[in-house]
């Protein structure tokens, strides 16, 4: 059993973790290359990322004490986020004492290429990695972290209007629309394509209903800066 991750699910979980772990204190990180588990040992809880392709999910457990072989990182959570239209969750930390060095723990939920990476500083130098990667995209201790190539799908900010949606999908035979949608439009996947094509409304699909659903879903993923008014102005 495993969880199929897509960008919408990843962003939703990142939002929830950002809320639940605000300023949480991290004690240590445990990366187990044999089981492909990554454990984040906070003072108040333990997050266990199961990163084997056949068991790909996250678990929350009571806090546990670090072991001598764990990577000690005394830091607080600054934020947790998922980059646009990606299956990656990034935990940002700031060191509690000393230089205030920044760290990241990057969880890559990428099917057969899942990984967990610990980076340090503004250069994002890899300090620890669950699985070393070679080839076109190198992920190795001592090297700067290189994220996956950015996607080219349209609509990351929900800026595909109904006319563009219809131009893209209406000429495509209904049997090929899932492939065209997931290839071209951000935040779509095999998990949600049927809903975004309105397949449950009409046998051939109700594209305008699907577009409304897509716009609504994307609107809930976008984090926009706001001005907070207080008693001090």
């Amino acid at each position: 059993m495993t969880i199929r991750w897509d960008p919408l699910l990843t962003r939703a979980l990142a939002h929830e973790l950002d809320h639940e772990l605000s300023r949480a204190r991290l004690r240590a990180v445990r990366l187990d290359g044999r089981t492909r588990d990554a454990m984040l040992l906070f003072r108040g809880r333990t997050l266990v990322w199961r990163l084997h392709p056949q068991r790909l999910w996250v678990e929350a457990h009571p806090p546990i004490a670090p072991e001598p072989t764990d990577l000690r990182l005394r830091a607080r959570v600054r934020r947790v986020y998922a980059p646009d239209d990606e299956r990656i969750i990034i935990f940002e930390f700031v060191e509690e004492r000393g230089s205030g060095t920044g760290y990241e723990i990057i969880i890559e939920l990428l099917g057969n290429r899942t990984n967990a990476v610990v980076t340090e500083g503004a250069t994002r130098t890899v300090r620890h990695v669950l699985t070393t990667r070679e080839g076109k995209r190198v992920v190795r201790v001592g090297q700067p972290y290189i994220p996956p190539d950015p996607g080219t799908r349209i609509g990351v900010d929900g800026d595909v209007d109904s006319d563009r949606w219809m131009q893209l999908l209406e000429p495509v035979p209904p049997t090929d629309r899932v492939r065209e949608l997931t290839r071209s439009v951000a935040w779509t996947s095999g998990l949600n394509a049927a809903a975004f094509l309105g397949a449950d409304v009409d046998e051939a699909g109700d594209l305008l209903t699907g577009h409304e659903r897509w716009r609504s879903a994307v609107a809930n993923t976008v984090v926009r800066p706001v001005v907070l008014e207080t008693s001090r102005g």
Side-chain angles (χ1 to χ4, degrees), residues 169-229:
L169 295 171
E170 194 171 33
V172 179
T175 54
D176 296 331
R177 284 177 180 166
V178 169
R179 180 173 58 187
E180 179 62 24
L181 179 70
T182 56
R183 181 185 69 85
S184 303
V185 181
W187 306 106
T188 64
S189 70
L191 296 176
N192 56 40
F196 293 156
L197 291 170
D200 59 317
V201 179
D202 183 86
E203 184 175 347
D206 184 330
L207 295 180
L208 289 177
T209 296
H211 176 256
E212 291 174 3
R213 292 170 174 172
W214 175 82
R215 287 287 298 270
S216 177
V218 175
N220 289 328
T221 72
V222 177
V223 179
R224 296 183 176 88
V226 298
V227 176
L228 176 64
E229 294 187 1

Side-chain angles (χ1 to χ4, degrees), residues 25-30 39-43 46-47 64-67 69-75 93 105:
R25 290 181 176 180
L26 181 71
R27 302 176 68 191
V29 179
R30 183 181 304 168
M39 302 177 65
L40 281 60
L41 280 60
F42 292 95
R43 287 188 181 274
T46 301
L47 287 186
I64 61 173
E67 296 181 354
T69 55
D70 293 340
L71 169 64
R72 295 297 186 105
L73 283 179
R74 296 187 179 277
F93 297 89
I105 298 176

Side-chain angles (χ1 to χ4, degrees), residues 107-121:
I107 306 295
E108 299 182 342
L109 302 165
L110 304 175
N112 289 330
R113 297 188 66 81
T114 57
N115 213 345
V117 185
V118 180
T119 74
E120 180 179 351

Side-chain angles (χ1 to χ4, degrees), residues 4-209:
R4 293 175 59 192
W5 294 87
D6 70 357
L8 279 179
L9 176 58
T10 305
R11 175 63 65 86
L13 178 59
H15 279 178
E16 182 68 18
L17 291 172
D18 185 58
H19 173 73
E20 291 293 327
L21 297 174
S22 177
R23 294 189 56 76
R25 290 181 176 180
L26 181 71
R27 302 176 68 191
V29 179
R30 183 181 304 168
L31 303 182
D32 189 329
R34 182 183 61 84
T35 62
R36 294 180 69 171
D37 291 342
M39 302 177 65
L40 281 60
L41 280 60
F42 292 95
R43 287 188 181 274
R45 75 192 74 192
T46 301
L47 287 186
V48 182
W49 290 91
R50 308 293 188 186
L51 297 175
H52 191 285
Q54 295 180 355
R55 50 182 186 86
L56 185 53
W57 60 76
V58 63
E59 302 170 0
H61 294 277
I64 61 173
E67 296 181 354
T69 55
D70 293 340
L71 169 64
R72 295 297 186 105
L73 283 179
R74 296 187 179 277
R76 283 186 180 270
V77 173
R78 176 184 287 150
R79 66 167 176 158
V80 184
Y81 72 99
D84 288 340
D85 200 30
E86 294 285 0
R87 293 171 294 160
I88 297 172
I89 293 180
I90 300 177
F91 296 77
E92 286 187 358
F93 297 89
V94 62
E95 193 175 33
E96 281 199 283
R97 300 188 183 93
S99 63
T101 300
Y103 298 96
E104 293 176 323
I105 298 176
I106 303 168
I107 306 295
E108 299 182 342
L109 302 165
L110 304 175
N112 289 330
R113 297 188 66 81
T114 57
N115 213 345
V117 185
V118 180
T119 74
E120 180 179 351
T123 58
R124 306 183 88 183
T125 301
V126 175
R127 292 307 182 200
H128 296 268
V129 61
L130 182 64
T131 304
T132 298
R133 300 292 186 193
E134 303 291 348
K136 181 180 178 181
R137 178 178 172 251
V138 176
V139 183
R140 185 193 310 131
V141 170
Q143 298 292 316
Y145 173 73
I146 301 173
D149 290 337
T152 59
R153 301 198 295 181
I154 63 174
V156 166
D157 295 324
D159 54 355
V160 177
D161 61 23
S162 57
D163 289 340
R164 180 73 181 92
W165 186 269
M166 296 302 292
Q167 290 170 6
L168 177 69
L169 295 171
E170 194 171 33
V172 179
T175 54
D176 296 331
R177 284 177 180 166
V178 169
R179 180 173 58 187
E180 179 62 24
L181 179 70
T182 56
R183 181 185 69 85
S184 303
V185 181
W187 306 106
T188 64
S189 70
L191 296 176
N192 56 40
F196 293 156
L197 291 170
D200 59 317
V201 179
D202 183 86
E203 184 175 347
D206 184 330
L207 295 180
L208 289 177
T209 296

